[in-house]
Amino acid sequence: HPRIMIDENTVSSVQNILNTDPHAPKWFEHLKNETDKILTEAPSHYELPDGRRLLSVSRTVKERVRALMFIHLIEGGDQYVDRTWAEIEAVCNFQDWNPVHFLDTAEMTYAVAMSLDWLHHHWSNAQKETMQSAIIEKGLKPGLNVYNGNVGHRWDLNQNNWNQVCNGGLSMGALVIADQDPDLAKTILHNAIKSIPQPMRHYAPDGGGTEGVTYWDYGSRYNLLYLSSLESALGTDFGLSDIPGFKESGQYQMYISGTTRQSYNFADCGLQQMGTPMHFWMGKKFDMPQYSWFRYSELVGGHQHATVLDFLWFDVKGKTFDPATLDL
């Protein structure tokens, strides 16, 4: 540990960004100020605001713990560790993670797995056991029911963002508890690697997405979290990043947005500013600096605030790319 998304070189890499990029300290300061507000907020509690979904809670937990842990890793401070535990202890004691709407379960599995992994050396054995048990009982075993066909909604057979999010969240959980339950981890990872090419094939032939550019953000985000975790934990993504069209899909938001970078919001797609941290990851992974420029220029322009993922996936090549060289 850490083994999902980050490794032993991550902290020094981020500190180098902060020391060499003129804009990065301002981005970090904003992120830290927003994170400090979490310290005085109450931990999340179990609620289904619309009577069906826990998803808003899962996302709040994920955003909170990721930011808290990131600030701790870069600057230290026990208050961030303590507040992370308060959040995670609360959700580990939830009755379930609402597997009837499995996006909720997948995102919560990711949040708890990340917390167990990134601060592994801080936790007591009892805390580790609490998180491991919750990941297995509330995340992975309900996921196994889906892979085994014991539930009505087979998202593992879907060809949309559900497949990417659910396989991604479960796989990160499996990678973190692989030492404790290797057979379960192996089964989850095996099923996910077989399943996730189904939505990824829809990027072919030109990288376009079938659900619109904002859903490209959601599905692709978990796809990349998944691939980056496979690489950091196992040293390979099993060829998944080579699926035709995936490499080109970073162009989708670039070309389906207007001059102000607002999305062309057809179908079930929201109107929002384009540019995501995934563009940094894809720019570096595929040596396509135009992707990194797309994200970097958005952050420099102040249209969006840098996230933890921006710092983790930052690609310096985006600073010098000339967009005039792009095809119309």
Side-chain angles (χ1 to χ4, degrees):
H1 300 279
R3 64 175 64 145
I4 60 168
M5 298 164 51
I6 68 174
D7 58 27
E8 68 276 6
N9 299 315
T10 298
V11 172
S12 60
S13 176
V14 172
Q15 289 172 338
N16 182 61
I17 295 167
L18 292 171
N19 291 331
T20 58
D21 186 277
H23 303 282
K26 180 179 65 176
W27 300 340
F28 183 84
E29 181 183 10
H30 179 271
L31 179 59
K32 184 176 185 295
N33 289 339
E34 292 300 303
T35 302
D36 284 345
K37 296 176 183 178
I38 302 171
L39 296 172
T40 58
E41 295 174 347
S44 297
H45 61 277
Y46 193 98
E47 61 175 335
L48 311 178
D50 62 355
R52 180 179 175 224
R53 297 174 180 87
L54 186 70
L55 190 54
S56 61
V57 179
S58 298
R59 288 175 174 171
T60 295
V61 173
K62 171 200 66 180
E63 294 296 330
R64 283 177 170 179
V65 298
R66 188 166 62 191
L68 289 162
M69 291 189 295
F70 178 73
I71 299 300
H72 171 78
L73 289 172
I74 303 305
E75 285 200 340
D78 290 343
Q79 70 272 31
Y80 299 108
V81 178
D82 294 341
R83 183 61 185 84
T84 299
W85 174 245
E87 193 77 16
I88 292 303
E89 183 180 33
V91 303
C92 285
N93 287 324
F94 283 3
Q95 62 200 55
D96 58 38
W97 292 342
N98 201 37
V100 295
H101 190 260
F102 210 90
L103 294 175
D104 315 7
T105 303
E107 294 212 30
M108 194 72 86
T109 301
Y110 162 48
V112 179
M114 178 172 48
S115 301
L116 174 58
D117 182 54
W118 286 16
L119 297 183
H120 194 268
H121 61 290
H122 279 281
W123 306 130
S124 68
N125 288 336
Q127 289 172 317
K128 291 175 186 176
E129 290 170 5
T130 295
M131 287 184 272
Q132 290 160 4
S133 176
I135 291 168
I136 292 170
E137 298 300 328
K138 295 181 170 72
L140 302 188
K141 287 185 176 178
L144 197 59
N145 283 334
V146 177
Y147 293 132
N148 290 337
N150 297 329
V151 297
H153 182 201
R154 292 293 303 276
W155 47 257
D156 61 317
L157 304 179
N158 282 4
Q159 300 180 16
N160 62 12
N161 66 82
W162 275 72
N163 183 306
Q164 296 164 296
V165 175
C166 295
N167 278 315
L170 289 180
S171 292
M172 287 184 277
L175 289 168
V176 172
I177 61 85
D179 299 329
Q180 287 69 45
D181 196 334
D183 290 336
L184 176 58
K186 178 176 67 174
T187 301
I188 295 292
L189 291 168
H190 176 73
N191 279 282
I193 289 168
K194 287 199 310 179
S195 170
I196 205 166
Q198 296 175 83
M200 292 183 71
R201 291 191 185 104
H202 282 274
Y203 292 120
D206 57 7
T210 59
E211 298 184 275
V213 290
T214 53
Y215 269 105
W216 178 90
D217 180 335
Y218 187 37
S220 298
R221 186 188 329 140
Y222 272 86
N223 216 135
L224 267 62
L225 290 169
Y226 172 51
L227 297 185
S228 68
S229 294
L230 288 176
E231 289 181 343
S232 58
L234 303 177
T236 178
D237 68 9
F238 300 93
L240 291 171
S241 60
D242 295 326
I243 290 177
F246 182 64
K247 174 182 177 180
E248 292 76 20
S249 72
Q251 299 178 112
Y252 187 43
Q253 286 198 348
M254 295 172 64
Y255 282 91
I256 310 292
S257 58
T259 55
T260 60
R261 295 199 183 174
Q262 292 287 322
S263 56
Y264 170 45
N265 57 327
F266 67 90
D268 191 18
C269 172
L271 179 65
Q272 65 185 58
Q273 198 79 11
M274 293 294 94
T276 71
M278 289 81 78
H279 285 94
F280 275 144
W281 186 92
M282 298 186 83
K284 186 180 294 185
K285 172 71 174 178
F286 299 119
D287 192 24
M288 297 180 74
Q290 62 266 43
Y291 293 167
S292 301
W293 160 81
F294 190 64
R295 181 57 174 173
Y296 185 77
S297 60
E298 190 71 9
L299 296 177
V300 171
H303 302 296
Q304 297 188 48
H305 293 295
T307 69
V308 172
L309 296 179
D310 285 302
F311 284 102
L312 298 185
W313 293 341
F314 186 82
D315 179 24
V316 69
K317 292 181 181 179
K319 299 167 68 172
T320 56
F321 178 78
D322 180 6
T325 62
L326 289 172
D327 292 334
L328 295 177

